Amino acid sequence: MPDKRKVSLKHIAEKAGVSTALVSYVLNGKERESRVGSEISQKIKLLAKELNYTPNYVAKSLRSGKTHTIGLIIADIANPFFANIAREVEDEAKKTGYTVIIGSSDENPEKFKDLISVFLDRQVDGLIVVSTEKSFQQIKMLHQRKYPFVLLDRYFPELQTDYVSIDSFQASFSATTHLLQNGYKNIGFIGYKSKLFHMIERKRGVTEALEKVGITPLKNWSQSITFDKVETELKTAMEAMIFSQTPVDAILFGTYRLAINGLKIIRELGIKIPDQLAIVSYGQAESFELYECPITYLEQPLGALGKKAVSLLVDKIKEPSHIPEQILMKARLVIGESSHSISESISKV
């Protein structure tokens, strides 16, 4: 038997007593259109398995002009949300015959731009992209070149591109409504200083939920933090919310990272959750449930987001004229003790 690492179509053809072309048709799933009989087709597939045949992707790429690779750009590999969604994308892509190459922009526009160039130079068949600040021009360039890509989590409503995200406005609106129903009135929001649409929508959801019940949010109830200055800016922002003349009685954190750092500050300040301050956060993590007061959070459908992004991209690669699809999924509010009703908190005292 030939070395299994060097098994070729020719080896299988010789064993089966057929032509190399016939073996190629069968192993590429074209036996029906080539009118190959089921018996010989089955024989070829069995031999390929016995000989541990693996396709020569380099040769296949040269013939087809495809590399069978997908580039995935995420915003921050240290964030559990992006780390987990990368796994979902990788697993789903594997099922469709694609290998995923992952890059993290670390929320840096220049690094994001470099990753786009690297992936284009490597001739990946398509991209799944989590945009970062100041990335609009790169996305617009991909759109104008009709390059196959799907935006994940963050998108630009002014561009008619494929995207898969959660409905950030509805998520914030529902979380704020939950807090209002539990008796909280002065509800604040902490997000990043960002022009990205999803962050704007998260803030808008809080504002409109408050205004719907006749509450006009004060300026200090909303705080924006520079992404790379969380440690220095967050404490000042929270103190402005908590120790003002009209302090907040609840905070919705716009990201998991802000919530984790915010909870540390709350502990340092000696503030009790939810007796003195209710908390809700975007993003899910085991630490939220292990915290001394389990945190209420908005659970994003990681599996569904990753699978749909891969599905849309594969469709786009196979059919470039595919009409763009814009998909918004719902986040699920998982209620912990950190947003218990005011009456429940009082009864515990």
Side-chain angles (χ1 to χ4, degrees), residues 54-65:
T54 54
N56 184 332
Y57 286 110
V58 174
K60 194 172 183 179
S61 297
L62 290 171
R63 291 194 301 270
S64 66

Side-chain angles (χ1 to χ4, degrees), residues 51-215:
L51 294 171
N52 294 305
Y53 169 75
T54 54
N56 184 332
Y57 286 110
V58 174
K60 194 172 183 179
S61 297
L62 290 171
R63 291 194 301 270
S64 66
K66 302 292 184 183
T67 61
H68 300 280
T69 56
I70 289 172
L72 171 63
I73 300 177
I74 54 177
D76 179 13
I77 194 65
N79 186 321
F81 172 76
F82 294 117
N84 288 326
I85 210 165
R87 182 183 297 124
E88 295 289 347
V89 168
E90 192 172 30
D91 290 347
E92 189 63 22
K94 186 177 180 180
K95 295 176 187 175
T96 60
Y98 285 89
T99 298
V100 178
I101 305 172
I102 302 171
S104 176
S105 70
D106 299 325
E107 299 283 8
N108 183 306
E110 286 304 313
K111 191 171 181 181
F112 179 90
K113 187 177 179 181
D114 290 343
L115 283 169
I116 292 285
S117 297
V118 168
F119 283 134
L120 293 182
D121 288 344
R122 293 199 61 165
Q123 298 182 319
V124 296
D125 294 338
L127 289 169
I128 295 175
V129 180
V130 178
S131 303
T132 189
E133 203 72 36
K134 299 179 182 178
S135 61
F136 178 80
Q137 290 303 323
Q138 279 73 49
I139 300 303
K140 187 178 179 181
M141 175 271 293
L142 293 174
H143 184 54
Q144 290 174 336
R145 288 177 57 173
K146 301 187 186 303
Y147 192 87
F149 72 96
V150 174
L151 297 180
L152 177 60
D153 184 52
R154 307 168 182 182
Y155 62 97
F156 301 94
E158 59 269 49
L159 287 178
Q160 288 299 306
T161 63
D162 289 274
Y163 63 73
V164 185
S165 182
I166 67 161
D167 189 334
S168 289
F169 169 81
Q170 188 57 46
S172 285
F173 191 95
S174 66
T176 306
T177 300
H178 162 73
L179 289 166
L180 287 166
Q181 289 171 344
N182 280 359
Y184 301 95
K185 303 295 182 186
N186 301 355
I187 301 168
F189 175 77
I190 300 180
Y192 287 126
K193 286 178 184 173
S194 173
K195 293 181 180 178
L196 289 171
F197 188 67
H198 77 294
M199 192 57 64
I200 293 169
E201 287 292 273
R202 291 179 184 188
K203 179 181 176 180
R204 185 171 74 90
V206 177
T207 302
E208 293 202 12
L210 290 172
E211 291 176 344
K212 186 179 179 181
V213 297
I215 298 172

Side-chain angles (χ1 to χ4, degrees), residues 263-311:
L263 289 169
K264 291 176 184 175
I265 292 167
I266 288 168
R267 182 179 289 170
E268 288 171 12
L269 295 173
I271 294 169
K272 293 182 179 179
I273 303 172
D275 302 347
Q276 295 171 285
L277 185 69
I279 297 295
V280 179
S281 175
Y282 272 82
Q284 55 264 45
E286 286 183 5
S287 57
F288 282 166
E289 295 175 4
L290 298 174
Y291 195 73
E292 57 195 52
C293 173
I295 305 300
T296 298
Y297 61 90
L298 287 157
E299 181 182 49
Q300 294 150 288
L302 298 177
L305 287 166
K307 287 177 182 177
K308 192 61 183 177
V310 172
S311 172

Side-chain angles (χ1 to χ4, degrees), residues 230-248:
V230 171
E231 286 72 19
T232 56
E233 293 184 2
L234 186 57
K235 187 173 183 180
T236 301
M238 291 183 68
E239 287 176 342
M241 299 173 87
I242 298 167
F243 301 126
S244 66
Q245 258 191 330
T246 311
V248 297

Side-chain angles (χ1 to χ4, degrees), residues 246-261:
T246 311
V248 297
D249 54 16
I251 296 176
L252 170 60
F253 287 99
T255 72
Y256 165 81
R257 180 177 176 227
L258 288 171
I260 291 298
N261 283 276

